[in-house]
Amino acid sequence: MKNLKYTSFLITLVSILTLGFTACSSSDDNESKDMTYPEIKTEGITANPIDCQVYKRGEVIPVCFLFTDDTELGAYNIEIHHNFDHHTHSTSAVECPMEAPKQVSKPWIFNQDYTIPAGQRNFTSRVDIPIPNDIDTGDYHFMVRLTDRAGWQQLHAVAIKITE
């Protein structure tokens, strides 16, 4: 009789624990998971910068892009670096006229992370980036990396030129 009560108790305990673990485990249903890349949009707004845009040292680059995600946005990063060696990031089909390759003397390298308020599915980035007065002029890449809350990332790169 004691063994029957003990066995019954163990079966009940295992059932309760199984139900508890099942209730707390994540579903394999992909509808509840974010499986979609965020988007960097240039349509419907005055996106900036765009391919082949020219800026002067000492000016400001007014950044404006629309970010969207089906679930929730996370953060974005802006990077600007020289393209004096003519490398590519291949996110645009536009080919801009380029100067001859040259040696780096005082290149501009900008890299900054920006947060997006929690819970946002749409966000318009508006950042003013001052261009230093004493940098090398020439061809540069302007890149935006957008990450959603789940960690999916999208890249948008454009070629810009900085002059005297």
Side-chain angles (χ1 to χ4, degrees):
M1 189 65 141
K2 242 182 184 177
N3 283 343
L4 184 59
K5 284 183 181 180
Y6 183 73
T7 304
S8 177
F9 171 76
L10 282 178
I11 291 172
T12 304
L13 181 61
V14 168
S15 297
I16 290 171
L17 288 174
T18 301
L19 283 173
F21 287 129
T22 303
C24 294
S25 67
S26 63
S27 169
D28 287 335
D29 181 10
N30 283 341
E31 289 180 26
S32 64
K33 295 179 183 176
D34 183 355
M35 302 299 289
T36 306
Y37 289 98
E39 294 184 45
I40 302 170
K41 296 187 175 188
T42 58
E43 306 87 30
I45 63 168
T46 304
N48 200 66
I50 58 173
D51 276 309
C52 309
Q53 203 156 11
V54 178
Y55 298 94
K56 293 182 180 179
R57 292 191 293 194
E59 288 184 340
V60 169
I61 299 174
V63 178
C64 184
F65 292 102
L66 175 62
F67 302 144
T68 64
D69 189 63
D70 63 332
T71 306
E72 184 178 358
L73 293 165
Y76 65 103
N77 170 276
I78 295 174
E79 178 185 340
I80 303 169
H81 62 265
H82 73 85
N83 187 21
F84 302 159
D85 61 356
H86 294 186
H87 67 276
T88 183
H89 295 284
S90 301
T91 67
S92 176
V94 176
E95 289 191 33
C96 303
M98 296 178 67
E99 297 177 4
K102 65 181 186 179
Q103 291 296 328
V104 177
S105 174
K106 191 165 185 190
W108 183 28
I109 299 173
F110 179 90
N111 194 329
Q112 181 70 46
D113 294 325
Y114 300 89
T115 58
I116 296 172
Q120 300 295 309
R121 292 174 46 188
N122 296 294
F123 182 80
T124 302
S125 66
R126 289 192 171 88
V127 178
D128 288 334
I129 301 175
I131 301 169
N133 288 313
D134 59 348
I135 61 165
D136 290 341
T137 59
D139 300 305
Y140 282 81
H141 282 144
F142 179 97
M143 301 183 357
V144 177
R145 287 180 186 86
L146 173 63
T147 307
D148 69 11
R149 189 65 61 197
W152 296 105
Q153 188 178 86
Q154 191 64 262
L155 172 69
H156 179 74
V158 298
I160 63 172
K161 189 175 296 286
I162 298 177
T163 62
E164 296 280 338

